[in-house]
């Protein structure tokens, strides 16, 4: 009886459920894939995946299924995100992740993102967004992320236009303040050619920020406020243009473990200059409670030129087997003599080869009897070995 009842329920409900799902996704097929899959460790997430589908506008997103938890809409050609990109009717309360990376997005309208109260991760990597107020024909929207009430991760790696002015950092500050991203704990700003921040309190409007990724930019020092970030646990500064860290910067970093806060920092790939300031940094690295990631990759150079190719490497005394010192040295007299001898040897070998080529006919005539004799001996030896091998078989 129970089995019959269960079968009857499945017979009545399953077709309706399938039809509903098909109707919800019918505007996206066959270009997109809809269905439940695992995503970043979470099982059975309803995902709408429109990767490299060739869409040239975002109008299709107005019909996004209401049960969508993860939207992957990347690799398309969308220059502008219009108002209410997800429509005005549905409240996408199930939506948790929006990935709009690599779409060539240049402008995000001030009211583009509505009805996204529970989105936790927004990914806009590798776009061409122009937000600087000094840029011509640009619409500055400081409240562009204001509707993300639950946003905890904002990914903006290589997200901004290459021709964005130096005011980019200032305009980012306006966005952080006006969007009120109070739940944000991870911010990615790598590869944006940021040279500095006009306002040192640029990140202070993000009180719950834990991970700040600023790698692969053009920062020269830590002239922005970190003390206001009570929950900061990781600062990524790898591959910037930092040549030295001031005492005030080191003191701010030390203030975290002094307040029993765990802090890690990545300084690898920066062009530190060897000398007194580097020795001071070495001393700090030995005693600080701040965890240094990729410590073995921290180097320094004796040259003021960052883009130098000639260097030798050795271990520094300040951090044995940990900090490598890169020294640019002028060529010694021994090196110069070796270079001259090598050059003369190459010239001599070239002349010998040229002489042999010019007299190749005469040399070949002189060597012919010797070659014929050796050839006959080799042939006899080979035949003898073949016959011996056959006899053994």
């Amino acid at each position: 009886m129970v089995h019959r009842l269960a079968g009857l329920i499945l017979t009545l409900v399953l077709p309706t459920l399938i039809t509903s799902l098909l109707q919800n996704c019918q505007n996206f097929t066959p270009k997109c894939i809809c269905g439940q899959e695992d995503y970043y460790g979470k099982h059975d997430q309803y995902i709408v995946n429109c990767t490299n589908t060739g869409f040239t506008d975002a109008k299709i997103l107005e019909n996004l299924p209401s049960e969508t938890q993860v939207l992957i809409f990347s690799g398309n050609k969308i220059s502008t995100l219009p108002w209410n990109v997800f429509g005005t009717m549905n409240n996408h309360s199930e939506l948790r992740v929006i990935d709009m990376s690599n779409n060539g997005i240049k402008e995000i309208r001030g009211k583009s993102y509505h009805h996204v109260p529970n989105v936790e991760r927004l990914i806009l990597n590798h776009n061409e967004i122009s937000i600087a107020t000094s840029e011509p024909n640009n619409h500055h929207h400081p409240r562009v992320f204001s509707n993300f009430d639950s946003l905890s991760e904002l990914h903006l790696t290589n997200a901004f236009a290459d021709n964005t002015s130096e005011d980019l950092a200032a305009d980012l500050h306006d966005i952080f303040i006006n969007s009120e991203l109070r739940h944000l704990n991870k911010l990615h700003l790598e590869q944006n050619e940021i040279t500095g921040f006009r306002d040192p309190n640029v990140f202070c409007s993000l009180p719950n920020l834990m991970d700040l990724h600023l790698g692969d930019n053009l920062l020269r020092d830590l002239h922005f406020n970190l003390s206001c970030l009570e929950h900061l646990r990781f600062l990524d500064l790898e591959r910037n243009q930092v040549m030295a860290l001031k005492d005030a910067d080191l003191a701010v970093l030390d203030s975290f473990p002094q307040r029993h806060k765990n802090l890690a920092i990545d300084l690898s790939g920066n062009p530190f200059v060897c000398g007194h300031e580097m020795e001071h940094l070495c001393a700090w690295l030995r005693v600080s409670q701040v965890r240094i990631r990729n410590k073995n990759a921290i180097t320094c150079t004796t040259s003021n030129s960052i883009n130098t190719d000639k260097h030798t490497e050795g271990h520094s005394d300040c951090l044995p087997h940990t900090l490598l010192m890169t020294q640019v040295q002028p060529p010694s007299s021994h090196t110069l003599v070796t270079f001259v001898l090598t050059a003369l040897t190459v010239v001599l070998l070239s002349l010998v080869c040229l002489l042999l080529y010019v007299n190749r006919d005469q040399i070949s005539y002189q060597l012919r009897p010797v070659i014929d004799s050796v050839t006959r001996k080799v042939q006899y030896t080979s035949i003898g070995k073949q016959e011996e091998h056959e006899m053994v078989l």
Side-chain angles (χ1 to χ4, degrees):
M1 181 67 179
V2 175
H3 294 291
R4 290 182 180 178
L5 182 59
L8 180 60
I9 292 174
L10 287 175
T11 303
L12 294 175
V13 174
L14 190 59
T16 304
L17 180 61
I18 293 175
T19 301
S20 175
L21 292 176
L22 289 175
Q23 286 177 348
N24 286 339
C25 202
Q26 64 183 356
N27 294 303
F28 290 84
T29 55
K31 288 187 175 183
C32 305
I33 300 174
C34 305
Q36 290 187 332
E37 296 183 22
D38 295 345
Y39 182 83
Y40 276 85
K42 293 185 178 181
H43 301 295
D44 298 328
Q45 299 288 293
Y46 190 87
I47 302 175
V48 175
N49 190 341
C50 302
T51 301
N52 299 327
T53 48
F55 287 119
T56 56
D57 62 60
K59 189 174 180 61
I60 189 174
L61 296 178
E62 294 179 2
N63 298 309
L64 187 70
S66 59
E67 65 268 32
T68 303
Q69 295 170 288
V70 178
L71 170 64
I72 303 175
F73 193 81
S74 63
N76 296 291
K77 298 179 180 179
I78 315 293
S79 60
T80 301
L81 290 185
W83 287 6
N84 298 313
V85 67
F86 298 119
T88 58
M89 302 300 295
N90 295 326
N91 185 16
H92 295 281
S93 59
E94 299 296 323
L95 193 58
R96 295 293 185 274
V97 179
I98 298 175
D99 183 352
M100 288 188 168
S101 58
N102 196 28
N103 280 319
I105 298 173
K106 296 181 179 179
E107 182 184 355
I108 301 176
R109 298 287 174 86
K111 298 181 180 179
S112 292
Y113 293 113
H114 275 192
H115 307 293
V116 288
N118 296 322
V119 168
E120 299 171 355
R121 180 186 296 141
L122 176 62
I123 305 172
L124 291 169
N125 298 338
H126 307 296
N127 280 294
E128 301 174 7
I129 304 170
S130 180
I131 64 170
T133 53
S134 60
E135 288 294 319
N137 302 319
N138 178 48
H139 301 281
H140 183 57
H141 306 295
R143 291 181 55 83
V144 65
F145 302 129
S146 60
N147 290 301
F148 290 95
D149 300 333
S150 305
L151 195 65
S152 61
E153 295 184 27
L154 180 56
H155 297 253
L156 296 171
T157 300
N158 190 30
F160 303 104
D162 292 338
N163 61 350
T164 300
S165 72
E166 295 181 356
D167 294 333
L168 167 63
D171 292 296
L172 278 175
H173 185 207
D174 291 342
I175 289 175
F176 295 154
I177 290 178
N178 289 280
S179 294
E180 298 182 353
L181 301 173
R182 297 194 174 276
H183 298 286
L184 194 71
N185 55 55
K186 292 184 180 182
L187 176 61
H188 289 261
L189 287 171
E190 302 98 326
Q191 303 176 31
N192 284 307
E193 301 182 3
I194 298 174
T195 57
F197 299 100
R198 184 180 302 174
D199 186 348
N201 296 319
V202 59
F203 301 114
C204 290
S205 57
L206 307 173
N208 287 299
L209 194 63
M210 300 174 68
D211 299 341
L212 177 56
H213 296 264
L214 294 169
D216 294 290
N217 279 293
L218 302 173
L219 296 170
R220 292 185 177 274
D221 51 32
L222 290 176
H223 64 276
F224 50 90
N225 191 358
L226 293 177
S227 58
C228 60
L229 302 177
E230 292 289 331
H231 302 283
L232 187 66
R233 64 182 182 184
F234 177 55
L235 175 61
D236 174 22
L237 288 173
E238 60 182 329
R239 293 185 297 275
N240 272 272
Q241 298 298 317
V242 180
M243 295 184 181
L245 288 178
K246 301 177 181 177
D247 287 342
D249 298 331
L250 300 179
V252 170
L253 295 175
D254 279 332
S255 68
F256 285 87
Q258 289 170 1
R259 291 180 285 118
H260 306 289
K261 305 287 185 180
N262 293 323
L263 177 65
I265 185 172
D266 194 334
L267 296 168
S268 61
N270 281 285
F272 289 105
V273 177
C274 300
H276 174 72
E277 292 179 334
M278 193 64 210
E279 292 176 0
H280 185 59
L281 177 61
C282 288
W284 178 79
L285 289 172
R286 286 200 303 266
V287 300
S288 177
Q289 298 299 311
V290 176
R291 291 186 296 112
I292 310 300
R293 292 191 182 179
N294 298 319
K295 188 181 294 185
N296 292 338
I298 298 177
T299 62
C300 68
T301 175
T302 57
S303 172
N304 291 327
S305 174
I306 297 173
N307 298 318
T308 181
D309 294 327
K310 296 180 179 179
H311 64 273
T312 59
E313 293 184 351
H315 289 293
S316 170
D317 294 334
C318 66
L319 273 180
H321 308 296
T322 300
L323 186 64
L324 293 177
M325 179 179 292
T326 303
Q327 297 180 339
V328 180
Q329 299 177 346
S332 63
S333 57
H334 176 72
T335 303
L336 187 60
V337 170
T338 303
F339 174 77
V340 172
L341 290 176
T342 302
L344 291 175
T345 302
V346 173
V347 172
L348 180 60
L349 289 175
S350 300
L351 291 175
V352 170
C353 292
L354 179 61
L355 183 62
L356 291 174
Y357 178 77
V358 172
N359 298 281
R360 63 187 183 280
D361 293 336
Q362 184 176 358
I363 294 173
S364 176
Y365 177 77
Q366 295 291 334
L367 293 177
R368 176 58 59 187
V370 178
I371 295 173
D372 290 342
S373 175
V374 172
T375 301
R376 284 194 295 271
K377 290 181 179 179
V378 170
Q379 289 176 347
Y380 295 152
T381 303
S382 299
I383 294 172
K385 287 184 177 180
Q386 291 177 1
E387 291 179 346
E388 181 180 355
H389 181 66
E390 290 177 356
M391 290 175 63
V392 171
L393 292 177

